[in-house]
């Protein structure tokens, strides 16, 4: 049986550009998360920033997706990274010259989120075109390994950089990495000339494009169930972020270093899981059952996470990393293969809106609960909500969901 070559020139370039973007985002995100909590001392204030950052993901993907299905997507990637670099450099220079301003940070975060919404949609839509046909699951396995590998390297380093360089210089370094990513993306060779030759766009055509994607999703109940469950699960996970920061910052016996160690064990789990996916192909008929099993274990692990002794917390995250990478690879490969290429940006935009809505709602909800409840109960309640969603949406609509994973 002939083996499909995965590591083509285009695939190497997109992985390199992604790596540079991820390195900067991990370091900058880590530093800013602790900066905001240290300056405000409030989980609700931190959650509000997360919610503000998610607002563009509710609007921009749907507005821009029709253009992205008609115009060269590489241009969106390059321009987005350049603009991102300019704003990050401005934030870094501001912090070098002025005191921290919560309002100013909200505005800057909103601008970065606008760019991030466009960039994410462009990447999600173009990435399947850069993976050789027949190597989709391997391609997503590589992408799945990339983040945890860099996170385990960068999170402890970010903790050191935070104490030595400070947030401002971390943001400036992140700016340079964004510029390097844009340069790398410009070297990708992808024939998108047909997209440039299409007729001038109009409001009527835009409305028609949106309706075409909406009609497609209306008929695809299984796809909608997957998207809705991921909106709930990702929203809950997003809401946990400020709670975990506050817990490790304030709970007796816990430190920032212990929090950063989560990334190490999660990396080990994700790496093992992704490596297995790279080498071993799960039969189509078993994918649905495996996915549902993963969701049950993952939510149980979240529910008990903060009640465990610290060593068992690490084991917990390792198991979640292993199972989570496997389910994400299978889901991404199956869903992107299932969606028609001409609709991919628009359908992914609808998915992005759902996930963003879930993240916005649960970030604020869990952040508010963190003000009035024990942080441990907040995480337990969030895990229970996600598990209920899996029963209703994945198990309750198993016939339709199974069709997506089977590719039929």
């Amino acid at each position: 049986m002939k083996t499909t070559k995965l590591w083509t020139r285009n695939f190497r370039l997109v992985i390199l550009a992604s790596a540079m973007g991820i390195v900067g985002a991990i370091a900058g995100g880590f530093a800013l998360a602790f900066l905001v909590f240290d300056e405000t001392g409030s989980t609700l204030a931190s959650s509000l920033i997360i919610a503000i950052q998610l607002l563009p993901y509710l609007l921009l993907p749907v507005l821009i997706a029709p253009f992205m299905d008609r115009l060269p997507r590489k241009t969106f990637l390059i321009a987005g990274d350049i603009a991102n670099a300019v704003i990050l450099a401005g934030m870094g220079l501001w912090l070098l010259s002025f005191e921290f301003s919560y309002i100013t940070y909200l505005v800057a975060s909103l601008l970065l989120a606008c760019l991030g919404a466009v960039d994410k949609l462009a990447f999600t839509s173009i990435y399947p075109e850069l993976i050789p046909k027949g190597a989709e699951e391997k391609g997503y396995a590589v992408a799945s390994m990339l983040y945890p590998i860099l996170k385990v390297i960068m999170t402890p380093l970010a903790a050191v950089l935070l104490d030595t360089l400070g947030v401002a210089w971390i943001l400036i370094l992140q700016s340079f990495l964004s510029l390097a990513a844009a340069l790398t993306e410009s070297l990708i060779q992808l024939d998108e000339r047909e997209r440039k030759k299409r007729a001038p766009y109009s409001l009527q055509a835009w409305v028609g494009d949106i309706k075409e994607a909406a009609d497609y999703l209306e008929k695809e109940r299984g796809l909608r169930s997957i998207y809705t469950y991921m909106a709930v699960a990702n929203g809950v996970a997003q809401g946990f972020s400020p709670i975990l920061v506050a817990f490790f910052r304030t709970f007796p016996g816990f430190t920032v270093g212990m929090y950063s160690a989560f990334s190490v064990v999660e990396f080990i789990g994700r790496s093992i899981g992704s490596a297995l996916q790279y080498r071993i192909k799960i039969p189509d008929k078993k994918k649905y059952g495996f996915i549902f099993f993963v969701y049950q274990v993952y939510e149980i692990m979240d529910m008990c996470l903060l009640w465990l002794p610290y060593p068992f917390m690490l084991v917990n995250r390792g198991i979640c990393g292993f199972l989570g990478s496997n389910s994400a690879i299978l889901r991404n490969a199956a869903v992107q293969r299932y969606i028609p290429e001409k609709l991919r940006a628009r359908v992914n935009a609808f998915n992005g809106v759902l996930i963003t809505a879930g993240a916005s709602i649960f970030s604020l909800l869990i952040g508010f609960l963190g003000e009035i409840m024990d942080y441990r109960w907040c995480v337990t309640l969030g895990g229970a909500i996600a598990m209920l969603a899996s029963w209703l949406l994945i198990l309750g609509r198993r016939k339709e969901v199974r069709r997506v994973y089977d590719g039929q």
Side-chain angles (χ1 to χ4, degrees):
M1 183 177 176
K2 185 178 179 181
T3 302
T4 303
K5 180 182 177 182
L6 174 64
W7 291 94
T8 60
R9 180 178 185 274
N10 279 346
F11 188 76
R12 292 196 301 269
L13 288 171
V14 74
I15 290 299
L16 177 59
S18 298
M20 288 186 284
I22 290 170
V23 165
I26 291 172
F30 181 92
L32 288 171
F34 282 98
L35 173 68
V36 172
F37 183 74
D38 288 344
E39 293 288 342
T40 65
S42 169
T43 59
L44 183 58
S46 300
S47 298
L48 180 59
I49 286 181
I50 292 175
I52 289 293
Q53 290 173 332
L54 294 173
L55 282 178
Y57 290 83
L58 285 171
L59 302 172
L60 282 181
V62 174
L63 293 175
I64 293 174
F67 296 94
M68 205 171 286
D69 272 335
R70 290 172 176 262
L71 300 174
R73 289 162 292 195
K74 191 174 83 168
T75 303
F76 285 91
L77 284 176
I78 297 170
D81 280 332
I82 292 174
N84 195 62
V86 172
I87 295 175
L88 287 168
M91 289 176 67
L93 293 173
W94 172 276
L95 289 175
L96 286 175
S97 305
F98 305 97
E99 294 294 325
F100 174 81
S101 168
Y102 185 75
I103 299 300
T104 302
Y105 180 64
L106 280 177
V107 174
S109 296
L110 185 60
L111 291 175
L112 287 174
C114 290
L115 294 173
V118 176
D119 184 75
K120 182 178 180 180
L121 181 61
F123 179 84
T124 303
S125 301
I126 201 174
Y127 187 66
E129 302 304 306
L130 303 178
I131 303 174
K133 190 173 182 180
E136 290 89 354
E137 288 184 10
K138 285 189 175 183
Y140 282 101
V142 172
S144 178
M145 284 190 286
L146 192 62
Y147 181 80
I149 287 173
L150 294 175
K151 187 172 178 64
V152 75
I153 296 171
M154 288 306 304
T155 302
L157 180 59
V160 174
L161 293 175
L162 181 60
D163 292 332
T164 55
L165 295 181
V167 177
W169 283 108
I170 290 177
L171 293 177
I172 291 171
L173 290 174
Q174 186 181 355
S175 172
F176 281 110
L177 285 171
S178 290
L179 285 176
L183 178 61
T184 302
E185 289 159 354
S186 70
L187 301 176
I188 293 174
Q189 296 176 351
L190 185 65
D191 188 359
E192 296 186 290
R193 287 174 295 181
E194 289 300 318
R195 291 173 170 266
K196 297 179 181 179
K197 295 178 182 178
R198 294 185 179 182
Y201 208 41
S202 66
L203 178 61
Q204 184 178 4
W206 180 88
V207 172
D209 284 347
I210 292 294
K211 186 177 184 302
E212 182 183 15
D215 290 343
Y216 171 78
L217 276 174
E218 185 179 1
K219 294 183 294 185
E220 293 293 340
R221 194 180 183 204
L223 205 57
R224 292 203 318 271
S225 294
I226 294 171
Y227 283 167
T228 306
Y229 167 72
M230 293 312 302
V232 175
N234 285 358
V236 168
Q238 192 80 39
F240 287 166
S241 182
I243 296 297
L244 293 176
V245 168
F247 179 84
F248 278 87
R249 196 61 142 176
T250 62
F251 208 79
F254 290 87
T255 66
V256 174
M258 293 170 72
Y259 174 71
S260 67
F262 268 25
S263 62
V264 177
V265 292
E266 191 168 350
F267 153 75
I268 295 172
R270 284 187 174 275
S271 297
I272 295 173
S274 298
L276 285 177
Q277 277 289 316
Y278 190 85
R279 295 291 181 184
I280 300 173
K281 181 176 177 62
I282 296 177
D284 289 341
K285 292 183 178 180
K286 296 183 179 181
K287 288 178 180 178
Y288 168 80
F290 176 75
I291 288 290
F292 184 69
F293 166 77
V294 168
Y295 293 160
Q296 301 310 291
V297 174
Y298 207 106
E299 307 310 344
I300 290 173
M301 289 291 182
D302 276 351
M303 290 168 68
C304 67
L305 175 63
L306 296 186
W307 301 97
L308 299 172
Y310 183 69
F312 288 102
M313 286 185 182
L314 297 179
V315 174
N316 180 305
R317 291 300 90 185
I319 294 173
C320 286
F322 173 80
L323 294 175
S325 67
N326 275 279
S327 66
I329 291 165
L330 290 177
R331 183 185 67 254
N332 288 330
V335 167
Q336 297 304 322
R337 183 171 55 231
Y338 187 81
I339 301 170
E341 191 276 337
K342 69 173 185 176
L343 293 170
R344 191 175 289 139
R346 282 167 283 169
V347 174
N348 283 328
F350 281 116
N351 178 38
V353 169
L354 271 177
I355 288 178
T356 302
S360 300
I361 293 169
F362 285 105
S363 290
L364 289 175
L365 175 61
I366 297 177
F368 171 73
L369 291 176
E371 298 287 323
I372 61 175
M373 290 176 60
D374 187 306
Y375 296 144
R376 294 169 295 184
W377 281 113
C378 293
V379 174
T380 299
L381 180 60
I385 292 172
M387 176 170 284
L388 178 61
S390 74
W391 292 345
L392 296 174
L393 297 166
I394 305 301
L395 180 64
R397 298 179 180 176
R398 54 189 173 276
K399 182 179 179 181
E400 294 88 349
V401 172
R402 190 187 296 274
R403 188 179 300 121
V404 176
Y405 284 103
D406 291 350
Q408 298 175 355

